[in-house]
Amino acid sequence: MFALFSWGVGIVFCVYLLLRRVHQNRRRAFRGVGGVAPIWVIGNVARLARAYSKKLPHHPGVYILQGIIGVNSLFYKDGVQLFWMGLFPVASVFKPELVEIILSSNTSLDKSYEYSYLHRWLGRGLLTSTGARWRSRRKLLTPSFHFRILEDFLPTFNDVSLVLVEKLRAQRHRDYVDLMPLVVLCTLDMVCETVMGVNIGAQSGENPEYVTAVHNLGDNLVERIARPLLWPDFLFNLSKTGRCFNRDLAILHGFTEKVIKDKKASLLSGEGAGMGGEEEEARLGGKRRQALMDLLLDVHVKDQQQITEQDIQEEVDTFMFEVL
């Protein structure tokens, strides 16, 4: 028994020395970058996890965002500050000149470890892919965001915005109004029409299961990043947060898959994909607007090797994720 205990202590001590060495080497590598001093091994993540450890008046994400902005202000002159997710350094870059360098780079495409949490949701789409796959996806998607195509959706933006205006007008007598939930629903309506070509009526209370699933997935993702115990897939799937994530992910994927199959069947039958056939074309002066999914389906039908149904779902889910 004593020998077994000694072996256990020895293993723990070796792990301690290894983690300590890794931590010291990584801190030394980023010695010139400012930031709040991290706790050994844990890093700065304890501050994030604390937002989920007790009931707060507002969403935990509010306090996390406030904390990040507050720390950034301490290093305003540098334009960058470093915080640690355990042993992993994360750079918060907020100086426009530095951001421009990063975003304009075609070589710095590798994604950090946290992006792996998105793979089950977004697959290997534009946001999560790297290298040649990222370049091919970007080349394929860029024409879909030509300013002429976006102009075609101005009537949609206007109609959806008018719904938001009416909802705000109905609350004009209140002392204050939390705009965030209202704006998010408005944005969700816009993105669903421009990306998927469907009207989900989020602002009017339609499709509540899908709308709730989209919001919950974003919340569960942030909570997982903020709580180290949820980082391993095994523990995450056993947790309440992980079970909710899996349930909502099935709802979201099921909705996207159904829209893709319905639109593809319509396209193959000759009815055409898009927002509504002849009636829509007449309303737009003989020009039918096409959502991102419609444009990708056109490519898919012509060449299924260039982009598959799964690829289309990944890109559509990626742009839906950007709503959050």
Side-chain angles (χ1 to χ4, degrees), residues 149-200:
I149 293 178
L150 295 178
E151 285 181 356
D152 291 342
F153 279 96
L154 286 178
T156 297
F157 300 150
N158 185 59
D159 293 342
V160 173
S161 298
L162 288 175
V163 176
L164 174 62
V165 170
E166 290 302 319
K167 296 180 77 68
L168 292 174
R169 181 176 288 119
Q171 302 188 55
R172 64 185 182 277
H173 299 301
R174 298 180 58 180
D175 293 336
Y176 68 91
V177 177
D178 184 359
L179 295 177
M180 194 62 186
L182 300 175
V183 173
V184 168
L185 291 178
C186 178
T187 305
L188 190 58
D189 274 340
M190 288 183 181
V191 173
C192 280
E193 288 216 36
T194 55
V195 173
M196 288 195 287
V198 295
N199 180 4
I200 66 167

Side-chain angles (χ1 to χ4, degrees), residues 100-128:
E100 181 182 13
I101 294 173
I102 296 172
L103 296 182
S104 61
S105 172
N106 288 323
T107 56
S108 302
L109 303 179
D110 291 338
K111 304 301 193 297
S112 62
Y113 176 76
E114 293 80 17
Y115 279 78
S116 64
Y117 300 148
L118 291 169
H119 288 165
R120 288 172 54 200
W121 182 357
L122 309 180
R124 299 284 181 167
L126 186 64
L127 180 64
T128 55

Side-chain angles (χ1 to χ4, degrees), residues 20-61:
R20 182 180 178 84
R21 185 172 182 82
V22 171
H23 180 72
Q24 289 176 338
N25 288 342
R26 290 184 174 176
R27 286 203 65 183
R28 192 177 298 115
F30 292 92
R31 185 166 40 198
V33 183
V36 177
I39 301 173
W40 181 78
V41 176
I42 298 176
N44 305 116
V45 76
R47 298 174 182 272
L48 303 181
R50 197 175 298 129
Y52 289 92
S53 63
K54 55 186 177 181
K55 291 185 177 181
L56 298 167
H58 303 289
H59 189 279

Side-chain angles (χ1 to χ4, degrees), residues 120-312:
R120 288 172 54 200
W121 182 357
L122 309 180
R124 299 284 181 167
L126 186 64
L127 180 64
T128 55
S129 60
T130 61
R133 185 181 181 91
W134 178 87
R135 291 185 178 89
S136 64
R137 286 292 179 89
R138 177 168 179 173
K139 183 178 180 180
L140 178 65
L141 292 171
T142 297
S144 301
F145 294 92
H146 191 277
F147 73 94
R148 291 291 302 174
I149 293 178
L150 295 178
E151 285 181 356
D152 291 342
F153 279 96
L154 286 178
T156 297
F157 300 150
N158 185 59
D159 293 342
V160 173
S161 298
L162 288 175
V163 176
L164 174 62
V165 170
E166 290 302 319
K167 296 180 77 68
L168 292 174
R169 181 176 288 119
Q171 302 188 55
R172 64 185 182 277
H173 299 301
R174 298 180 58 180
D175 293 336
Y176 68 91
V177 177
D178 184 359
L179 295 177
M180 194 62 186
L182 300 175
V183 173
V184 168
L185 291 178
C186 178
T187 305
L188 190 58
D189 274 340
M190 288 183 181
V191 173
C192 280
E193 288 216 36
T194 55
V195 173
M196 288 195 287
V198 295
N199 180 4
I200 66 167
Q203 295 185 95
S204 56
E206 302 174 38
N207 296 293
E209 189 177 48
Y210 176 78
V211 174
T212 301
V214 171
H215 292 319
N216 288 347
L217 284 171
D219 290 343
N220 293 336
L221 177 66
V222 174
E223 182 177 355
R224 182 180 189 183
I225 293 174
R227 301 178 66 180
L229 287 177
L230 298 180
W231 291 355
D233 288 338
F234 174 71
L235 294 178
F236 178 70
N237 290 328
L238 289 178
S239 68
K240 180 181 178 181
T241 301
R243 293 194 301 271
C244 292
F245 180 90
N246 294 331
R247 179 199 63 211
D248 292 325
L249 186 62
I251 294 173
L252 186 142
H253 280 173
F255 184 88
T256 308
E257 289 172 5
K258 182 179 184 302
V259 174
I260 290 175
K261 291 186 181 300
D262 289 347
K263 282 182 169 288
K264 182 179 178 180
S266 175
L267 184 62
L268 292 175
S269 67
E271 297 176 10
M275 296 291 298
E278 296 179 358
E279 181 179 346
E280 183 68 17
E281 289 186 24
R283 193 169 79 86
L284 294 173
K287 178 172 58 178
R288 177 171 59 86
R289 60 192 176 196
Q290 284 189 298
L292 173 65
M293 183 184 290
D294 299 325
L295 295 169
L296 295 180
L297 278 171
D298 285 342
V299 177
H300 167 71
V301 170
K302 295 174 183 176
D303 183 4
Q304 297 190 16
Q305 296 299 319
Q306 186 175 4
I307 185 168
T308 65
E309 286 188 25
Q310 180 62 36
D311 295 335
I312 294 175

